[in-house]
């Protein structure tokens, strides 16, 4: 009988030590996981890029627009938004590029976009970008963009007409202000 008591006592003691060790290891592992998650979040923090001063510097504008898009991804369920750079100017190339882009976007608008996605528009000239978006969504069906974020990067004075043009589509319209 004393042997059984010793065995049970030792088992209980070893079990208590094992539980203490496991709790400690899991606690330390959880801290490492929290640190790793914090590091990952810091690494994913969107880069803030200044507004380019040269309207002809397409690469700088695209980098700027991408940074604004990354800052406005709240509620978007995909990590690949549809991004459209709208060139400025009245040159033959700029006008042709906008016309091609408009045809492309009108095709997307006519087919709609799955909920949880984002369509983002921006370029050096806020008025041209706003005109583009208004024209692109002119034939959007009622409710066809419900739960889709449409981000337009431009100036606040263009906000009201953009929102009015997209109102019937039920899109979540956001305006990223160029600063």
């Amino acid at each position: 009988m004393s042997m059984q008591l010793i065995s049970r006592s030792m088992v209980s003691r070893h079990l208590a030590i094992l539980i203490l060790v496991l709790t400690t290891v899991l606690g330390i592992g959880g801290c490492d996981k929290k640190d790793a998650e914090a590091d990952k979040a810091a690494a994913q923090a969107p880069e803030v890029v200044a507004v380019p001063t040269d309207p002809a510097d397409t690469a700088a504008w695209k980098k700027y627009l991408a940074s604004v898009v990354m800052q406005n991804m709240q509620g978007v369920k995909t990590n690949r938004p549809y991004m459209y750079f709208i060139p400025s100017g009245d040159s033959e190339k700029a006008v042709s590029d906008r016309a091609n882009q408009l045809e492309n976007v009108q095709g997307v608008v006519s087919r709609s976009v799955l909920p949880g996605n984002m369509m983002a528009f921006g370029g050096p000239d806020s008025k041209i970008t706003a005109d583009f978006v208004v024209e692109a969504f002119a034939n959007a069906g009622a409710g066809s963009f419900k739960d889709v974020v449409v981000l337009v990067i431009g100036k606040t004075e263009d906000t009201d007409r953009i929102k009015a043009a997209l109102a019937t589509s039920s899109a979540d319209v956001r305006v990223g202000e160029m600063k």
Side-chain angles (χ1 to χ4, degrees):
M1 183 177 225
S2 66
M3 188 66 150
Q4 285 180 336
L5 287 177
I6 293 172
S7 295
R8 284 185 187 172
S9 171
M10 287 177 61
V11 168
S12 296
R13 194 168 164 193
H14 286 294
L15 186 58
I17 291 170
L18 180 62
I19 290 172
L20 179 64
V21 168
L22 283 173
T23 304
T24 303
V25 168
L26 291 175
I28 292 171
C31 290
D32 289 343
K33 185 176 181 181
K34 287 179 186 174
D35 291 343
E37 288 174 2
D39 290 344
K40 184 179 177 184
Q44 289 179 347
E47 177 185 0
V48 177
V49 178
V51 177
T53 55
D54 181 3
D57 189 351
T58 303
W61 274 98
K62 287 181 179 181
K63 185 175 180 181
Y64 166 72
L65 297 171
S67 76
V68 174
V69 167
M70 294 309 295
Q71 294 170 29
N72 286 279
M73 292 293 289
Q74 311 87 316
V76 178
K77 295 180 174 114
T78 65
N79 59 357
R80 295 186 181 251
Y82 297 91
M83 293 175 42
Y84 300 96
F85 173 73
I86 313 303
S88 65
D90 295 325
S91 72
E92 189 175 315
K93 181 173 178 7
V95 171
S96 174
D97 287 350
R98 281 196 303 272
N100 290 336
Q101 187 82 291
L102 180 62
E103 186 177 325
N104 178 29
V105 173
Q106 286 174 328
V108 171
V109 169
S110 71
R111 291 186 303 274
S112 191
V113 173
L114 291 174
N117 280 294
M118 174 191 272
M119 293 179 75
F121 302 89
D125 188 314
S126 179
K127 182 185 179 317
I128 288 175
T129 300
D131 292 344
F132 180 95
V133 172
V134 168
E135 190 172 349
F137 282 83
N139 295 320
S144 60
F145 279 80
K146 184 175 181 354
D147 297 325
V148 175
V149 174
V150 176
L151 172 66
V152 182
I153 302 160
K155 296 184 178 172
T156 54
E157 58 259 21
D158 296 313
T159 303
D160 290 339
R161 68 190 182 102
I162 291 168
K163 288 185 176 183
L166 277 76
T168 59
S169 73
S170 300
D172 175 4
V173 180
R174 299 178 188 171
V175 178
E177 186 178 353
M178 281 197 288
K179 298 177 184 179

